[in-house]
Coordinates of all heavy atoms in Angstrom, one line a residue:
D506 N 109.0 -40.7 8.8 CA 108.9 -41.4 7.5 C 110.2 -41.4 6.8 O 110.3 -41.8 5.6 CB 107.8 -40.8 6.6 CG 108.1 -39.4 6.2 OD1 109.0 -38.8 6.9 OD2 107.4 -38.8 5.4
L507 N 111.3 -41.0 7.5 CA 112.6 -40.8 6.8 C 113.5 -42.0 7.3 O 114.7 -41.8 7.5 CB 113.2 -39.5 7.2 CG 112.3 -38.3 6.8 CD1 113.0 -37.0 7.3 CD2 112.2 -38.2 5.3
Y508 N 113.0 -43.2 7.4 CA 113.7 -44.3 7.7 C 114.5 -44.9 6.6 O 114.1 -45.8 5.9 CB 112.8 -45.5 8.2 CG 112.2 -45.2 9.6 CD1 112.1 -44.0 10.2 CD2 111.6 -46.3 10.2 CE1 111.5 -43.9 11.4 CE2 111.0 -46.2 11.5 CZ 110.9 -45.0 12.1 OH 110.3 -44.9 13.3
I509 N 115.7 -44.4 6.2 CA 116.4 -44.9 5.2 C 117.9 -45.0 5.5 O 118.3 -44.2 6.4 CB 116.3 -44.1 3.9 CG1 116.6 -42.6 4.1 CG2 114.9 -44.2 3.3 CD1 116.6 -41.9 2.8
D510 N 118.6 -45.9 4.9 CA 120.0 -46.0 5.2 C 120.9 -45.0 4.6 O 121.9 -44.7 5.1 CB 120.5 -47.4 4.9 CG 119.8 -48.5 5.8 OD1 119.4 -48.1 6.9 OD2 119.6 -49.6 5.4
G511 N 120.5 -44.6 3.3 CA 121.4 -43.6 2.6 C 121.0 -42.2 3.0 O 120.6 -42.0 4.1
L512 N 121.2 -41.3 2.1 CA 120.9 -39.9 2.3 C 119.4 -39.7 2.3 O 118.7 -40.4 1.6 CB 121.6 -39.0 1.3 CG 123.1 -39.2 1.1 CD1 123.7 -38.2 0.1 CD2 123.8 -38.9 2.5
L513 N 119.0 -38.6 2.9 CA 117.5 -38.3 2.9 C 117.2 -37.9 1.5 O 118.0 -37.4 0.7 CB 117.2 -37.1 3.8 CG 117.4 -37.4 5.3 CD1 116.9 -36.3 6.1 CD2 116.8 -38.7 5.8
D514 N 115.9 -38.0 1.1 CA 115.6 -37.8 -0.3 C 115.3 -36.4 -0.7 O 116.1 -35.7 -1.2 CB 114.4 -38.8 -0.6 CG 113.2 -38.6 0.4 OD1 113.3 -37.7 1.3 OD2 112.3 -39.4 0.3
D515 N 114.1 -35.9 -0.5 CA 113.7 -34.6 -1.1 C 114.0 -33.4 -0.1 O 113.4 -33.4 1.0 CB 112.1 -34.7 -1.3 CG 111.7 -33.5 -2.0 OD1 112.5 -32.5 -2.2 OD2 110.5 -33.4 -2.4
P516 N 114.8 -32.6 -0.5 CA 115.2 -31.4 0.4 C 114.0 -30.6 0.8 O 114.0 -30.0 1.9 CB 116.2 -30.6 -0.4 CG 116.7 -31.5 -1.4 CD 115.6 -32.5 -1.7
S517 N 113.0 -30.6 0.0 CA 111.8 -29.8 0.4 C 111.1 -30.3 1.6 O 110.2 -29.6 2.1 CB 110.9 -29.7 -0.9 OG 110.3 -31.0 -1.1
K518 N 111.3 -31.5 2.0 CA 110.6 -32.1 3.1 C 111.2 -31.7 4.5 O 110.6 -31.8 5.5 CB 110.7 -33.7 3.1 CG 109.9 -34.3 2.0 CD 110.0 -35.8 2.1 CE 109.2 -36.5 1.0 NZ 109.3 -38.0 1.1
H519 N 112.4 -31.1 4.4 CA 113.1 -30.9 5.7 C 113.0 -29.5 6.2 O 112.8 -28.5 5.4 CB 114.6 -31.3 5.4 CG 114.8 -32.7 4.8 ND1 115.7 -32.9 3.8 CD2 114.1 -33.8 5.0 CE1 115.6 -34.1 3.4 NE2 114.7 -34.7 4.1
V520 N 113.1 -29.4 7.5 CA 113.1 -28.0 8.1 C 114.3 -27.3 8.0 O 114.4 -26.1 8.4 CB 112.6 -28.2 9.6 CG1 111.3 -28.8 9.8 CG2 113.7 -29.0 10.3
G521 N 115.4 -27.9 7.4 CA 116.6 -27.1 7.1 C 117.8 -27.8 7.8 O 117.6 -28.8 8.5
A522 N 118.9 -27.4 7.3 CA 120.2 -28.1 7.8 C 120.4 -27.7 9.3 O 120.1 -26.7 9.8 CB 121.3 -27.6 7.0
N523 N 121.1 -28.7 10.0 CA 121.6 -28.4 11.3 C 123.1 -28.6 11.1 O 123.6 -29.6 10.8 CB 121.1 -29.4 12.3 CG 121.6 -29.1 13.7 OD1 122.9 -29.2 14.0 ND2 120.8 -28.6 14.6
I524 N 123.9 -27.5 11.4 CA 125.3 -27.6 11.1 C 126.2 -28.1 12.3 O 127.4 -27.9 12.4 CB 125.8 -26.2 10.7 CG1 125.6 -25.1 11.8 CG2 125.1 -25.8 9.4 CD1 126.2 -23.8 11.5
G525 N 125.5 -28.8 13.1 CA 126.2 -29.5 14.2 C 127.0 -30.7 13.7 O 127.9 -31.2 14.5
I526 N 126.6 -31.3 12.6 CA 127.4 -32.4 12.0 C 127.5 -32.1 10.5 O 126.4 -31.9 9.8 CB 126.6 -33.7 12.1 CG1 126.4 -34.0 13.6 CG2 127.5 -34.8 11.5 CD1 125.6 -35.3 13.9
L527 N 128.7 -31.9 10.1 CA 129.0 -31.5 8.7 C 130.1 -32.3 8.1 O 131.1 -32.6 8.8 CB 129.3 -30.0 8.6 CG 128.2 -29.0 8.9 CD1 128.8 -27.6 9.1 CD2 127.2 -29.0 7.8
M528 N 130.0 -32.6 6.8 CA 131.1 -33.2 6.1 C 131.4 -32.5 4.9 O 130.6 -32.2 4.1 CB 130.8 -34.7 5.8 CG 130.4 -35.5 7.0 SD 130.0 -37.3 6.5 CE 129.5 -37.9 8.1
F529 N 132.7 -32.1 4.7 CA 133.1 -31.2 3.6 C 134.2 -31.8 2.9 O 135.3 -32.3 3.4 CB 133.6 -29.8 4.0 CG 132.5 -28.9 4.6 CD1 132.3 -28.8 5.9 CD2 131.7 -28.2 3.7 CE1 131.4 -27.9 6.4 CE2 130.8 -27.3 4.2 CZ 130.6 -27.2 5.6
K530 N 134.1 -31.9 1.5 CA 135.3 -32.2 0.7 C 136.1 -30.9 0.4 O 135.5 -29.8 0.5 CB 134.8 -32.8 -0.7 CG 134.3 -34.2 -0.6 CD 133.9 -34.7 -2.1 CE 133.3 -36.0 -2.1 NZ 132.9 -36.4 -3.5
P531 N 137.4 -31.0 0.1 CA 138.1 -29.8 -0.3 C 137.4 -29.0 -1.4 O 137.6 -27.8 -1.5 CB 139.4 -30.3 -0.7 CG 139.6 -31.6 0.1 CD 138.2 -32.2 0.1
S532 N 136.7 -29.7 -2.3 CA 136.0 -29.0 -3.4 C 135.0 -27.9 -2.8 O 134.5 -27.1 -3.7 CB 135.3 -30.0 -4.2 OG 134.4 -30.8 -3.5

Side-chain angles (χ1 to χ4, degrees):
D506 65 347
L507 304 173
Y508 285 18
I509 57 176
D510 293 331
L512 303 179
L513 297 187
D514 48 5
D515 185 353
S517 65
K518 291 182 180 179
H519 310 138
V520 296
N523 182 294
I524 59 173
I526 304 176
L527 292 168
M528 302 182 186
F529 290 100
K530 288 181 181 177
S532 55

